[in-house]
Amino acid sequence: MDGVSIPLDHVLLLSALLFICGLLGLMMRRNIIFILVSLEVMLNSSAVAFVAAGARWGQADGQIVFMLILAVAAAEVAVGLGLVLQIQRRFKSLDMDDANRMRG
Amino acid sequence: MLELVLFYMASTIALVSTILALTRANATHALIYLILSLLAVAVIFYLIGAPFAAALEVVIYAGAIMVLFIFVIMMLNLGEKGDRREKQLLKPQVWIVPVIFALVLLVELVLVLSQSEPATTQGLVTAKQVGLTLFGPYVIAVEIASMLLLAGLVGAYHLGRRYLEEGREAKATRDKGHQISQEGVR
């Protein structure tokens, strides 16, 4: 590696910062759509770390894990948005605090 | 040197648009910023030598998954408020920042593509390599991903189907005359 190429540390730092943004959003927002968006941001930031590490050693493994993350994100979004429709119908709002009671 | 500058610009755009996405009050505006953030991450993927991952990021993340989000927001049908919001979307202060960020990303793309040699100096991982590894040692992961997607499909269908049926029933009870004629037809 010569000095011109992008340092791995900085890509990992970007990934960590994106993850922190997603985590803070997940904890602070109460709208269920924003909670799903924060989950997407967190999954995406971990994908950045995988792809960067895979590219650093010239291996394809990082991109394969990226594809698996993509599949997980797609399945999670499909089920999560189905739940959004149900919660909107049942509670007439998208606030997660309206839906915090469990029925035993 | 060029790719370093482009990398820092793209990561700044990714971070800023993520923060803006998570602090918007309006879900549609948040999705626009999130799409921008994903496009910036795709540029970063290209710069660190993963062009196939960059293409997947644009096509699947910024394309398919975000369209799902937008469809659901449309399905929630916010009514009167939705019309006012629609008018609001035409105001410049709503779309000027995303447009500027997207133009910066476009300029980066043109700069990268106008170079004769690949912009990266690190190991370039081509789509062929990814495919050979994916269907070689990782073929079991493909099977697991397919099962996961099937589970997601069934779950989403189950949750969404009840929503549609309830909507149909509510519509049927709203206009009784129609309901009777429908029963007669059945």
Side-chain angles (χ1 to χ4, degrees):
Chain A
M1 271 180 73
D2 53 334
V4 187
S5 61
I6 296 159
L8 179 64
D9 303 2
H10 294 186
V11 189
L12 291 181
L13 182 68
L14 170 74
S15 151
L17 288 175
L18 282 176
F19 193 88
I20 289 169
C21 287
L23 190 60
L24 285 177
L26 185 70
M27 290 192 290
M28 286 178 191
R29 299 304 298 256
R30 291 290 64 154
N31 187 319
I32 185 169
I33 291 199
F34 282 91
I35 289 176
L36 285 176
V37 165
S38 310
L39 281 175
E40 287 301 305
V41 170
M42 287 162 74
L43 280 171
N44 194 41
S45 73
S46 59
V48 172
F50 272 113
V51 173
R56 166 68 179 75
W57 281 280
Q59 297 292 316
D61 304 55
Q63 291 187 48
I64 285 162
V65 180
F66 169 70
M67 278 190 236
L68 294 182
I69 289 175
L70 217 57
V72 170
E76 174 248 322
V77 159
V79 175
L81 289 174
L83 283 174
V84 169
L85 293 180
Q86 287 291 325
I87 286 171
Q88 161 75 15
R89 186 175 61 77
R90 197 161 297 178
F91 300 100
K92 300 284 176 267
S93 86
L94 292 177
D95 193 346
M96 278 315 284
D97 285 344
D98 288 346
N100 61 0
R101 300 290 291 271
M102 295 179 89
R103 204 183 307 161
Chain B
M1 204 57 220
L2 175 67
E3 66 262 32
L4 261 184
V5 176
L6 294 183
F7 168 73
Y8 290 124
M9 279 165 68
S11 35
T12 310
I13 290 176
L15 267 176
V16 171
S17 55
T18 302
I19 291 169
L20 284 173
L22 294 178
T23 50
R24 290 304 92 181
N26 189 322
T28 321
H29 299 175
L31 285 181
I32 293 173
Y33 280 111
L34 187 64
I35 289 172
L36 255 181
S37 156
L38 295 174
L39 290 179
V41 169
V43 170
I44 291 169
F45 280 170
Y46 188 83
L47 287 174
I48 61 179
F52 190 56
L56 280 184
E57 177 93 8
V58 173
V59 172
I60 297 181
Y61 246 124
I65 294 180
M66 290 303 118
V67 164
L68 262 186
F69 267 103
I70 289 174
F71 272 169
V72 166
I73 289 174
M74 304 283 163
M75 268 180 85
L76 292 180
N77 197 12
L78 300 164
E80 294 276 315
K81 251 170 42 184
D83 290 347
R84 250 180 289 135
R85 177 186 296 178
E86 202 72 23
K87 284 197 189 98
Q88 226 179 42
L89 268 179
L90 301 177
K91 284 187 199 152
Q93 73 259 32
V94 173
W95 51 260
I96 199 75
V97 179
V99 164
I100 290 170
F101 281 174
L103 281 180
V104 172
L105 287 177
L106 181 67
V107 169
E108 287 195 13
L109 182 73
V110 170
L111 271 177
V112 166
L113 289 183
S114 61
Q115 286 182 312
S116 50
E117 76 263 25
T120 177
T121 51
Q122 282 160 319
L124 186 72
V125 183
T126 56
K128 184 182 173 188
Q129 249 176 299
V130 176
L132 282 175
T133 318
L134 184 63
F135 289 101
Y138 282 98
V139 72
I140 189 76
V142 178
E143 299 295 332
I144 292 172
S146 71
M147 278 199 288
L148 179 71
L149 286 173
L150 181 65
L153 173 69
V154 172
Y157 179 69
H158 178 67
L159 288 168
R161 191 192 47 160
R162 271 193 285 170
Y163 177 85
L164 290 177
E165 275 175 2
E166 296 271 333
R168 213 176 296 143
E169 276 168 23
K171 199 178 168 193
T173 47
R174 204 168 50 218
D175 38 17
K176 281 257 169 99
H178 266 282
Q179 191 190 18
I180 292 160
S181 65
Q182 270 177 354
E183 292 297 321
V185 169
R186 268 182 219 155

mmCIF file of all heavy atoms in Angstrom, chain B residues 128-169:
data_model
loop_
_atom_site.group_PDB
_atom_site.id
_atom_site.type_symbol
_atom_site.label_atom_id
_atom_site.label_comp_id
_atom_site.label_asym_id
_atom_site.label_seq_id
_atom_site.Cartn_x
_atom_site.Cartn_y
_atom_site.Cartn_z
ATOM 1 N N LYS B 128 -16.607 -10.634 -10.690
ATOM 2 C CA LYS B 128 -16.324 -12.038 -10.990
ATOM 3 C C LYS B 128 -15.779 -12.756 -9.753
ATOM 4 O O LYS B 128 -16.217 -13.861 -9.410
ATOM 5 C CB LYS B 128 -15.317 -12.103 -12.122
ATOM 6 C CG LYS B 128 -15.023 -13.513 -12.582
ATOM 7 C CD LYS B 128 -13.973 -13.505 -13.665
ATOM 8 C CE LYS B 128 -13.562 -14.917 -14.000
ATOM 9 N NZ LYS B 128 -12.422 -14.956 -14.907
ATOM 10 N N GLN B 129 -14.845 -12.075 -9.071
ATOM 11 C CA GLN B 129 -14.281 -12.649 -7.847
ATOM 12 C C GLN B 129 -15.371 -12.888 -6.802
ATOM 13 O O GLN B 129 -15.419 -13.936 -6.163
ATOM 14 C CB GLN B 129 -13.272 -11.663 -7.269
ATOM 15 C CG GLN B 129 -11.835 -12.100 -7.329
ATOM 16 C CD GLN B 129 -10.957 -10.983 -6.817
ATOM 17 O OE1 GLN B 129 -10.945 -9.894 -7.389
ATOM 18 N NE2 GLN B 129 -10.250 -11.248 -5.744
ATOM 19 N N VAL B 130 -16.244 -11.872 -6.669
ATOM 20 C CA VAL B 130 -17.317 -11.989 -5.678
ATOM 21 C C VAL B 130 -18.208 -13.173 -6.015
ATOM 22 O O VAL B 130 -18.555 -13.983 -5.135
ATOM 23 C CB VAL B 130 -18.135 -10.685 -5.622
ATOM 24 C CG1 VAL B 130 -19.301 -10.826 -4.675
ATOM 25 C CG2 VAL B 130 -17.270 -9.529 -5.193
ATOM 26 N N GLY B 131 -18.563 -13.307 -7.287
ATOM 27 C CA GLY B 131 -19.448 -14.400 -7.682
ATOM 28 C C GLY B 131 -18.813 -15.754 -7.447
ATOM 29 O O GLY B 131 -19.467 -16.680 -6.953
ATOM 30 N N LEU B 132 -17.515 -15.865 -7.790
ATOM 31 C CA LEU B 132 -16.844 -17.155 -7.609
ATOM 32 C C LEU B 132 -16.784 -17.535 -6.125
ATOM 33 O O LEU B 132 -16.987 -18.698 -5.763
ATOM 34 C CB LEU B 132 -15.431 -17.085 -8.185
ATOM 35 C CG LEU B 132 -15.358 -17.189 -9.699
ATOM 36 C CD1 LEU B 132 -13.936 -16.997 -10.169
ATOM 37 C CD2 LEU B 132 -15.889 -18.535 -10.156
ATOM 38 N N THR B 133 -16.532 -16.530 -5.260
ATOM 39 C CA THR B 133 -16.471 -16.843 -3.832
ATOM 40 C C THR B 133 -17.859 -17.131 -3.277
ATOM 41 O O THR B 133 -18.025 -17.994 -2.421
ATOM 42 C CB THR B 133 -15.840 -15.673 -3.076
ATOM 43 O OG1 THR B 133 -14.740 -15.196 -3.830
ATOM 44 C CG2 THR B 133 -15.354 -16.108 -1.717
ATOM 45 N N LEU B 134 -18.854 -16.366 -3.786
ATOM 46 C CA LEU B 134 -20.212 -16.522 -3.255
ATOM 47 C C LEU B 134 -20.749 -17.922 -3.540
ATOM 48 O O LEU B 134 -21.321 -18.560 -2.652
ATOM 49 C CB LEU B 134 -21.129 -15.467 -3.876
ATOM 50 C CG LEU B 134 -22.558 -15.432 -3.357
ATOM 51 C CD1 LEU B 134 -22.566 -15.094 -1.889
ATOM 52 C CD2 LEU B 134 -23.364 -14.408 -4.111
ATOM 53 N N PHE B 135 -20.556 -18.420 -4.762
ATOM 54 C CA PHE B 135 -21.105 -19.733 -5.085
ATOM 55 C C PHE B 135 -20.078 -20.844 -4.930
ATOM 56 O O PHE B 135 -20.313 -21.969 -5.345
ATOM 57 C CB PHE B 135 -21.695 -19.716 -6.490
ATOM 58 C CG PHE B 135 -22.947 -18.919 -6.552
ATOM 59 C CD1 PHE B 135 -22.934 -17.633 -7.046
ATOM 60 C CD2 PHE B 135 -24.128 -19.438 -6.062
ATOM 61 C CE1 PHE B 135 -24.084 -16.883 -7.065
ATOM 62 C CE2 PHE B 135 -25.281 -18.694 -6.086
ATOM 63 C CZ PHE B 135 -25.257 -17.417 -6.583
ATOM 64 N N GLY B 136 -18.913 -20.522 -4.346
ATOM 65 C CA GLY B 136 -17.949 -21.558 -3.992
ATOM 66 C C GLY B 136 -18.051 -21.889 -2.515
ATOM 67 O O GLY B 136 -18.958 -22.605 -2.090
ATOM 68 N N PRO B 137 -17.181 -21.307 -1.700
ATOM 69 C CA PRO B 137 -17.191 -21.658 -0.272
ATOM 70 C C PRO B 137 -18.404 -21.141 0.472
ATOM 71 O O PRO B 137 -18.716 -21.658 1.550
ATOM 72 C CB PRO B 137 -15.906 -21.018 0.259
ATOM 73 C CG PRO B 137 -15.374 -20.174 -0.796
ATOM 74 C CD PRO B 137 -16.062 -20.454 -2.059
ATOM 75 N N TYR B 138 -19.092 -20.131 -0.058
ATOM 76 C CA TYR B 138 -20.177 -19.510 0.711
ATOM 77 C C TYR B 138 -21.551 -19.943 0.234
ATOM 78 O O TYR B 138 -22.527 -19.256 0.486
ATOM 79 C CB TYR B 138 -20.073 -17.990 0.621
ATOM 80 C CG TYR B 138 -19.023 -17.404 1.511
ATOM 81 C CD1 TYR B 138 -17.772 -17.086 1.028
ATOM 82 C CD2 TYR B 138 -19.287 -17.179 2.859
ATOM 83 C CE1 TYR B 138 -16.803 -16.557 1.846
ATOM 84 C CE2 TYR B 138 -18.329 -16.647 3.680
ATOM 85 C CZ TYR B 138 -17.086 -16.337 3.168
ATOM 86 O OH TYR B 138 -16.134 -15.815 3.990
ATOM 87 N N VAL B 139 -21.664 -21.077 -0.468
ATOM 88 C CA VAL B 139 -22.951 -21.405 -1.077
ATOM 89 C C VAL B 139 -24.006 -21.683 -0.013
ATOM 90 O O VAL B 139 -25.194 -21.407 -0.214
ATOM 91 C CB VAL B 139 -22.780 -22.577 -2.060
ATOM 92 C CG1 VAL B 139 -22.538 -23.879 -1.346
ATOM 93 C CG2 VAL B 139 -23.971 -22.686 -2.978
ATOM 94 N N ILE B 140 -23.581 -22.150 1.156
ATOM 95 C CA ILE B 140 -24.557 -22.410 2.225
ATOM 96 C C ILE B 140 -25.160 -21.093 2.716
ATOM 97 O O ILE B 140 -26.341 -21.031 3.077
ATOM 98 C CB ILE B 140 -23.894 -23.208 3.367
ATOM 99 C CG1 ILE B 140 -24.941 -23.682 4.368
ATOM 100 C CG2 ILE B 140 -22.856 -22.411 4.092
ATOM 101 C CD1 ILE B 140 -25.735 -24.827 3.876
ATOM 102 N N ALA B 141 -24.357 -20.010 2.672
ATOM 103 C CA ALA B 141 -24.883 -18.704 3.081
ATOM 104 C C ALA B 141 -25.973 -18.243 2.121
ATOM 105 O O ALA B 141 -26.941 -17.600 2.531
ATOM 106 C CB ALA B 141 -23.755 -17.691 3.136
ATOM 107 N N VAL B 142 -25.825 -18.585 0.828
ATOM 108 C CA VAL B 142 -26.862 -18.220 -0.144
ATOM 109 C C VAL B 142 -28.168 -18.922 0.208
ATOM 110 O O VAL B 142 -29.253 -18.328 0.176
ATOM 111 C CB VAL B 142 -26.401 -18.591 -1.569
ATOM 112 C CG1 VAL B 142 -27.478 -18.272 -2.572
ATOM 113 C CG2 VAL B 142 -25.141 -17.841 -1.916
ATOM 114 N N GLU B 143 -28.049 -20.212 0.581
ATOM 115 C CA GLU B 143 -29.260 -20.952 0.953
ATOM 116 C C GLU B 143 -29.917 -20.338 2.184
ATOM 117 O O GLU B 143 -31.144 -20.176 2.238
ATOM 118 C CB GLU B 143 -28.894 -22.415 1.240
ATOM 119 C CG GLU B 143 -28.286 -23.143 0.064
ATOM 120 C CD GLU B 143 -29.270 -23.290 -1.067
ATOM 121 O OE1 GLU B 143 -30.469 -23.338 -0.799
ATOM 122 O OE2 GLU B 143 -28.822 -23.342 -2.225
ATOM 123 N N ILE B 144 -29.085 -19.985 3.165
ATOM 124 C CA ILE B 144 -29.647 -19.406 4.393
ATOM 125 C C ILE B 144 -30.319 -18.074 4.083
ATOM 126 O O ILE B 144 -31.411 -17.777 4.582
ATOM 127 C CB ILE B 144 -28.537 -19.252 5.450
ATOM 128 C CG1 ILE B 144 -28.073 -20.627 5.909
ATOM 129 C CG2 ILE B 144 -29.025 -18.463 6.640
ATOM 130 C CD1 ILE B 144 -26.872 -20.593 6.796
ATOM 131 N N ALA B 145 -29.677 -17.256 3.204
ATOM 132 C CA ALA B 145 -30.275 -15.971 2.848
ATOM 133 C C ALA B 145 -31.603 -16.186 2.138
ATOM 134 O O ALA B 145 -32.561 -15.435 2.362
ATOM 135 C CB ALA B 145 -29.311 -15.188 1.968
ATOM 136 N N SER B 146 -31.688 -17.241 1.287
ATOM 137 C CA SER B 146 -32.951 -17.467 0.585
ATOM 138 C C SER B 146 -34.043 -17.865 1.567
ATOM 139 O O SER B 146 -35.188 -17.422 1.443
ATOM 140 C CB SER B 146 -32.767 -18.527 -0.485
ATOM 141 O OG SER B 146 -32.594 -19.790 0.110
ATOM 142 N N MET B 147 -33.677 -18.680 2.567
ATOM 143 C CA MET B 147 -34.692 -19.040 3.571
ATOM 144 C C MET B 147 -35.145 -17.816 4.363
ATOM 145 O O MET B 147 -36.330 -17.636 4.659
ATOM 146 C CB MET B 147 -34.133 -20.098 4.518
ATOM 147 C CG MET B 147 -34.212 -21.486 3.961
ATOM 148 S SD MET B 147 -34.065 -22.707 5.245
ATOM 149 C CE MET B 147 -32.373 -22.590 5.668
ATOM 150 N N LEU B 148 -34.174 -16.940 4.679
ATOM 151 C CA LEU B 148 -34.498 -15.723 5.426
ATOM 152 C C LEU B 148 -35.442 -14.840 4.627
ATOM 153 O O LEU B 148 -36.435 -14.318 5.153
ATOM 154 C CB LEU B 148 -33.206 -14.974 5.737
ATOM 155 C CG LEU B 148 -33.366 -13.664 6.487
ATOM 156 C CD1 LEU B 148 -33.772 -13.943 7.907
ATOM 157 C CD2 LEU B 148 -32.097 -12.879 6.442
ATOM 158 N N LEU B 149 -35.172 -14.702 3.319
ATOM 159 C CA LEU B 149 -36.028 -13.855 2.480
ATOM 160 C C LEU B 149 -37.419 -14.463 2.351
ATOM 161 O O LEU B 149 -38.418 -13.748 2.332
ATOM 162 C CB LEU B 149 -35.395 -13.669 1.104
ATOM 163 C CG LEU B 149 -34.198 -12.721 1.088
ATOM 164 C CD1 LEU B 149 -33.547 -12.725 -0.264
ATOM 165 C CD2 LEU B 149 -34.657 -11.321 1.434
ATOM 166 N N LEU B 150 -37.483 -15.812 2.291
ATOM 167 C CA LEU B 150 -38.802 -16.454 2.226
ATOM 168 C C LEU B 150 -39.587 -16.182 3.501
ATOM 169 O O LEU B 150 -40.787 -15.868 3.463
ATOM 170 C CB LEU B 150 -38.624 -17.955 2.015
ATOM 171 C CG LEU B 150 -39.922 -18.731 1.912
ATOM 172 C CD1 LEU B 150 -40.680 -18.322 0.674
ATOM 173 C CD2 LEU B 150 -39.660 -20.219 1.897
ATOM 174 N N ALA B 151 -38.889 -16.279 4.648
ATOM 175 C CA ALA B 151 -39.563 -15.990 5.921
ATOM 176 C C ALA B 151 -40.040 -14.548 5.949
ATOM 177 O O ALA B 151 -41.167 -14.264 6.397
ATOM 178 C CB ALA B 151 -38.613 -16.274 7.081
ATOM 179 N N GLY B 152 -39.217 -13.632 5.454
ATOM 180 C CA GLY B 152 -39.623 -12.237 5.404
ATOM 181 C C GLY B 152 -40.833 -12.029 4.512
ATOM 182 O O GLY B 152 -41.754 -11.290 4.857
ATOM 183 N N LEU B 153 -40.834 -12.718 3.367
ATOM 184 C CA LEU B 153 -41.957 -12.608 2.422
ATOM 185 C C LEU B 153 -43.249 -13.085 3.069
ATOM 186 O O LEU B 153 -44.284 -12.407 3.025
ATOM 187 C CB LEU B 153 -41.640 -13.441 1.190
ATOM 188 C CG LEU B 153 -42.740 -13.591 0.148
ATOM 189 C CD1 LEU B 153 -42.965 -12.275 -0.533
ATOM 190 C CD2 LEU B 153 -42.371 -14.647 -0.857
ATOM 191 N N VAL B 154 -43.180 -14.276 3.723
ATOM 192 C CA VAL B 154 -44.388 -14.820 4.334
ATOM 193 C C VAL B 154 -44.869 -13.921 5.465
ATOM 194 O O VAL B 154 -46.066 -13.624 5.589
ATOM 195 C CB VAL B 154 -44.117 -16.257 4.831
ATOM 196 C CG1 VAL B 154 -45.283 -16.768 5.640
ATOM 197 C CG2 VAL B 154 -43.838 -17.162 3.672
ATOM 198 N N GLY B 155 -43.919 -13.434 6.274
ATOM 199 C CA GLY B 155 -44.298 -12.565 7.388
ATOM 200 C C GLY B 155 -44.934 -11.281 6.916
ATOM 201 O O GLY B 155 -45.966 -10.852 7.422
ATOM 202 N N ALA B 156 -44.345 -10.663 5.892
ATOM 203 C CA ALA B 156 -44.890 -9.402 5.389
ATOM 204 C C ALA B 156 -46.259 -9.628 4.769
ATOM 205 O O ALA B 156 -47.174 -8.822 4.954
ATOM 206 C CB ALA B 156 -43.936 -8.798 4.363
ATOM 207 N N TYR B 157 -46.435 -10.741 4.065
ATOM 208 C CA TYR B 157 -47.742 -11.024 3.463
ATOM 209 C C TYR B 157 -48.792 -11.207 4.539
ATOM 210 O O TYR B 157 -49.906 -10.683 4.451
ATOM 211 C CB TYR B 157 -47.647 -12.273 2.586
ATOM 212 C CG TYR B 157 -48.956 -12.642 1.964
ATOM 213 C CD1 TYR B 157 -49.506 -11.833 0.983
ATOM 214 C CD2 TYR B 157 -49.655 -13.762 2.374
ATOM 215 C CE1 TYR B 157 -50.718 -12.142 0.418
ATOM 216 C CE2 TYR B 157 -50.873 -14.075 1.816
ATOM 217 C CZ TYR B 157 -51.398 -13.261 0.834
ATOM 218 O OH TYR B 157 -52.599 -13.564 0.291
ATOM 219 N N HIS B 158 -48.419 -11.962 5.588
ATOM 220 C CA HIS B 158 -49.373 -12.221 6.664
ATOM 221 C C HIS B 158 -49.789 -10.927 7.358
ATOM 222 O O HIS B 158 -50.971 -10.685 7.584
ATOM 223 C CB HIS B 158 -48.730 -13.175 7.674
ATOM 224 C CG HIS B 158 -49.591 -13.466 8.846
ATOM 225 N ND1 HIS B 158 -50.753 -14.169 8.739
ATOM 226 C CD2 HIS B 158 -49.458 -13.124 10.144
ATOM 227 C CE1 HIS B 158 -51.311 -14.253 9.933
ATOM 228 N NE2 HIS B 158 -50.545 -13.630 10.800
ATOM 229 N N LEU B 159 -48.808 -10.067 7.666
ATOM 230 C CA LEU B 159 -49.128 -8.834 8.383
ATOM 231 C C LEU B 159 -49.895 -7.871 7.494
ATOM 232 O O LEU B 159 -50.817 -7.204 7.951
ATOM 233 C CB LEU B 159 -47.843 -8.183 8.873
ATOM 234 C CG LEU B 159 -47.164 -8.890 10.034
ATOM 235 C CD1 LEU B 159 -45.773 -8.331 10.222
ATOM 236 C CD2 LEU B 159 -47.955 -8.719 11.295
ATOM 237 N N GLY B 160 -49.527 -7.799 6.206
ATOM 238 C CA GLY B 160 -50.152 -6.836 5.332
ATOM 239 C C GLY B 160 -51.522 -7.264 4.847
ATOM 240 O O GLY B 160 -52.383 -6.442 4.595
ATOM 241 N N ARG B 161 -51.759 -8.596 4.750
ATOM 242 C CA ARG B 161 -53.020 -9.087 4.223
ATOM 243 C C ARG B 161 -54.171 -8.706 5.138
ATOM 244 O O ARG B 161 -55.225 -8.277 4.690
ATOM 245 C CB ARG B 161 -52.945 -10.601 4.088
ATOM 246 C CG ARG B 161 -54.082 -11.199 3.323
ATOM 247 C CD ARG B 161 -54.086 -12.681 3.492
ATOM 248 N NE ARG B 161 -53.912 -13.013 4.910
ATOM 249 C CZ ARG B 161 -54.243 -14.180 5.429
ATOM 250 N NH1 ARG B 161 -54.715 -15.122 4.677
ATOM 251 N NH2 ARG B 161 -54.068 -14.418 6.708
ATOM 252 N N ARG B 162 -53.948 -8.832 6.443
ATOM 253 C CA ARG B 162 -55.013 -8.478 7.374
ATOM 254 C C ARG B 162 -55.355 -7.005 7.262
ATOM 255 O O ARG B 162 -56.507 -6.615 7.343
ATOM 256 C CB ARG B 162 -54.576 -8.826 8.804
ATOM 257 C CG ARG B 162 -54.959 -10.238 9.165
ATOM 258 C CD ARG B 162 -54.807 -10.459 10.638
ATOM 259 N NE ARG B 162 -53.404 -10.591 10.993
ATOM 260 C CZ ARG B 162 -52.972 -10.594 12.246
ATOM 261 N NH1 ARG B 162 -53.816 -10.456 13.232
ATOM 262 N NH2 ARG B 162 -51.707 -10.733 12.505
ATOM 263 N N TYR B 163 -54.321 -6.177 7.050
ATOM 264 C CA TYR B 163 -54.559 -4.740 6.876
ATOM 265 C C TYR B 163 -55.463 -4.500 5.684
ATOM 266 O O TYR B 163 -56.453 -3.771 5.755
ATOM 267 C CB TYR B 163 -53.213 -4.052 6.688
ATOM 268 C CG TYR B 163 -53.297 -2.581 6.415
ATOM 269 C CD1 TYR B 163 -53.396 -1.677 7.453
ATOM 270 C CD2 TYR B 163 -53.268 -2.100 5.124
ATOM 271 C CE1 TYR B 163 -53.472 -0.333 7.206
ATOM 272 C CE2 TYR B 163 -53.328 -0.751 4.868
ATOM 273 C CZ TYR B 163 -53.438 0.118 5.919
ATOM 274 O OH TYR B 163 -53.512 1.457 5.657
ATOM 275 N N LEU B 164 -55.183 -5.181 4.579
ATOM 276 C CA LEU B 164 -55.984 -4.966 3.380
ATOM 277 C C LEU B 164 -57.406 -5.450 3.585
ATOM 278 O O LEU B 164 -58.366 -4.802 3.184
ATOM 279 C CB LEU B 164 -55.338 -5.692 2.200
ATOM 280 C CG LEU B 164 -54.026 -5.082 1.729
ATOM 281 C CD1 LEU B 164 -53.442 -5.916 0.621
ATOM 282 C CD2 LEU B 164 -54.252 -3.672 1.238
ATOM 283 N N GLU B 165 -57.558 -6.619 4.252
ATOM 284 C CA GLU B 165 -58.915 -7.143 4.458
ATOM 285 C C GLU B 165 -59.731 -6.223 5.340
ATOM 286 O O GLU B 165 -60.903 -5.949 5.069
ATOM 287 C CB GLU B 165 -58.832 -8.527 5.096
ATOM 288 C CG GLU B 165 -58.643 -9.607 4.048
ATOM 289 C CD GLU B 165 -58.442 -10.957 4.666
ATOM 290 O OE1 GLU B 165 -58.494 -11.051 5.899
ATOM 291 O OE2 GLU B 165 -58.226 -11.909 3.913
ATOM 292 N N GLU B 166 -59.107 -5.697 6.415
ATOM 293 C CA GLU B 166 -59.826 -4.780 7.294
ATOM 294 C C GLU B 166 -60.271 -3.555 6.521
ATOM 295 O O GLU B 166 -61.390 -3.087 6.678
ATOM 296 C CB GLU B 166 -58.921 -4.356 8.446
ATOM 297 C CG GLU B 166 -58.519 -5.484 9.367
ATOM 298 C CD GLU B 166 -59.504 -5.672 10.489
ATOM 299 O OE1 GLU B 166 -60.146 -4.679 10.843
ATOM 300 O OE2 GLU B 166 -59.634 -6.796 10.983
ATOM 301 N N GLY B 167 -59.385 -3.044 5.661
ATOM 302 C CA GLY B 167 -59.738 -1.881 4.873
ATOM 303 C C GLY B 167 -60.932 -2.154 3.975
ATOM 304 O O GLY B 167 -61.839 -1.346 3.862
ATOM 305 N N ARG B 168 -60.968 -3.366 3.403
ATOM 306 C CA ARG B 168 -62.076 -3.712 2.517
ATOM 307 C C ARG B 168 -63.381 -3.801 3.304
ATOM 308 O O ARG B 168 -64.427 -3.324 2.874
ATOM 309 C CB ARG B 168 -61.774 -5.039 1.824
ATOM 310 C CG ARG B 168 -62.326 -5.128 0.433
ATOM 311 C CD ARG B 168 -61.905 -6.422 -0.223
ATOM 312 N NE ARG B 168 -60.480 -6.523 -0.400
ATOM 313 C CZ ARG B 168 -59.790 -7.653 -0.256
ATOM 314 N NH1 ARG B 168 -60.409 -8.768 0.069
ATOM 315 N NH2 ARG B 168 -58.502 -7.678 -0.429
ATOM 316 N N GLU B 169 -63.305 -4.402 4.514
ATOM 317 C CA GLU B 169 -64.523 -4.513 5.335
ATOM 318 C C GLU B 169 -65.044 -3.142 5.713
ATOM 319 O O GLU B 169 -66.241 -2.862 5.637
ATOM 320 C CB GLU B 169 -64.224 -5.320 6.592
ATOM 321 C CG GLU B 169 -64.317 -6.816 6.364
ATOM 322 C CD GLU B 169 -63.735 -7.585 7.540
ATOM 323 O OE1 GLU B 169 -63.689 -7.016 8.643
ATOM 324 O OE2 GLU B 169 -63.328 -8.724 7.330
#
